Amino acid sequence: MAGKIIINTERCKGCGLCIAVCPKGSIIISKKSNKSGYFPAESSNAECTGCALCAIICPEVVIEVFREEDVPADKPGKKSRKGLIKDKA
Amino acid sequence: MKTVFTRTPTLKDCLTHYCPGCGHSIAHRLIAETIDELDIRGRTIGIAPVGCAVLAYNYLDVDMIEVAHGRAPAVATGMKRTNPDKIIFSYQGDGDLAAIGTGEIIHAAHRGEQITVIFINNAVFGMTGGQMAPTTVLGQTTATTQQGRDAANEGYPLQVSELLALLPGAIYVERCALSGPAQIQKAKKAIKHAFELQISGAQGLSLVELLSTCPTYWRLSPVKAMEWIENEMTKVFPLGKLKDESQRPRISV
């Protein structure tokens, strides 16, 4: 684990954009709702590289990203951008 | 561990009123980050629009003012002319800038006012319930175009940025999209450039148009809405720099 994200689940509105862009697919929608009634995103952090794509796209800015120093992030974006466009059909 | 991403101080630490997946809050974050990076928080004045982003002053921790619908460029003109050392930006949606305020923005650009305009284009009137906007694309279903927008009845989508780029008073016009991490980063660069131009005292109006999602009134999921921008909206509103005359020499008579 080279990176870690912390999601403020009480502020999350469960839009799912972070899930669509995560290159490692390590974010999922929680089965438990928050106080606002949304099902927030949650991360296992198992494969997180700290690329911060989820934080860049998060409209509510609820994701904080940390990365181990001296570990370069995987080429961010490549897979995820395709991912967004791939399902267009 | 090193912090790679965290909330910027200018963006207030509170929940927004926007729908899940709305592009407005992404745009707010980009503006807040730009203000912090350029260190102009103390001398920036923002103008909030009428529309979904009417409460922008609850989220951006800079001096903000709320003005009549569409009149932001007119108020910004007065503020910039009386306070030339302040950085004035207006944040306007497509109902504000492209519908009721078309006259104001065209004449502000025509006069070459030294203001920065952030134009959020989501092709629909969000706050009032998803009616057709001037920027609604042909075939798009809205509350008032239930069979899809038809050019014979409702006319064609209005490309305000192309219109403004023709005016000599506008020095920088760029269209970006909030449709994915890469596009969002490009949009941030454009916003930063627009602010930098105003800080440097460039003679003219800088405008950044952001194609933004409205999942609620497009009746799409947030992810599908982002794809819709890439696949449909960019056909009518092509991305890119429409005009950049930042090197233009100052003309004085």
Side-chain angles (χ1 to χ4, degrees), chain B residues 28 35-36 73 91 103 135 147 152 156 158 163 182 185 190 222 227 250:
Chain B
H28 287 3
I35 289 173
D36 281 332
Y91 183 100
T135 47
Q147 309 302 318
Y156 296 89
L158 182 61
L163 205 66
Q185 295 296 71
E227 286 164 7
R250 193 180 174 139

Side-chain angles (χ1 to χ4, degrees), chain A residues 11 13 15-17 20 38 53 55-57 59-61 63-69 81 84-85 87-88, chain B residues 2-7 11 13 15-16 18 21-22 25-26 29 179 181-182 222 224 226-227 230-231:
Chain A
R11 294 260 182 88
K13 291 178 178 168
C15 67
L17 289 175
Y38 293 115
L53 290 178
I56 288 166
I57 206 159
E60 293 300 315
V61 202
I63 303 177
E64 272 191 301
V65 186
F66 305 92
R67 193 187 300 155
E68 296 277 9
E69 296 194 39
R81 252 179 267 150
L84 261 181
I85 303 163
D87 314 317
K88 66 186 169 189
Chain B
K2 186 177 70 172
T3 306
V4 183
F5 186 97
T6 188
R7 185 178 273 262
L11 195 65
D13 194 11
L15 186 73
T16 69
Y18 299 116
C22 178
S25 26
I26 302 177
R29 174 176 69 80
S179 59
K224 292 265 180 241
M226 294 225 163
E227 286 164 7
E230 299 226 348
N231 301 334

Side-chain angles (χ1 to χ4, degrees), chain B residues 39-183:
Chain B
D39 196 19
I40 50 169
R41 192 175 172 190
R43 59 186 183 115
T44 300
I45 306 175
I47 302 177
V50 172
C52 282
V54 69
L55 298 174
Y57 44 77
N58 285 349
Y59 311 129
L60 292 170
D61 200 3
V62 292
D63 289 329
M64 300 230 12
I65 180 173
E66 172 64 49
V67 302
H69 199 5
R71 272 63 191 173
V75 176
T77 300
M79 294 204 302
K80 186 69 183 180
R81 289 191 176 203
T82 49
N83 302 283
D85 56 323
K86 297 277 186 283
I87 307 301
I88 315 287
F89 78 91
S90 76
Y91 183 100
Q92 299 180 269
D94 48 359
D96 199 75
L97 186 141
I100 196 166
T102 321
E104 274 72 16
I105 187 64
I106 286 183
H107 281 281
H110 170 63
R111 293 189 305 266
E113 300 297 342
Q114 297 168 39
I115 57 173
T116 301
V117 179
I118 311 293
F119 169 34
I120 307 291
N121 179 358
N122 59 10
V124 81
F125 285 154
M127 186 170 99
T128 48
Q131 291 85 358
M132 189 200 87
T135 47
T136 296
V137 302
L138 291 179
Q140 189 183 338
T141 320
T142 66
T144 45
T145 55
Q146 302 211 337
Q147 309 302 318
R149 183 174 187 170
D150 177 10
N153 266 333
E154 291 97 16
Y156 296 89
L158 182 61
Q159 289 144 322
V160 189
S161 294
E162 274 85 349
L163 205 66
L164 295 177
L166 293 174
L167 300 175
I171 46 167
Y172 176 60
V173 181
E174 179 158 2
R175 185 185 283 125
C176 302
L178 303 175
S179 59
Q183 298 291 358

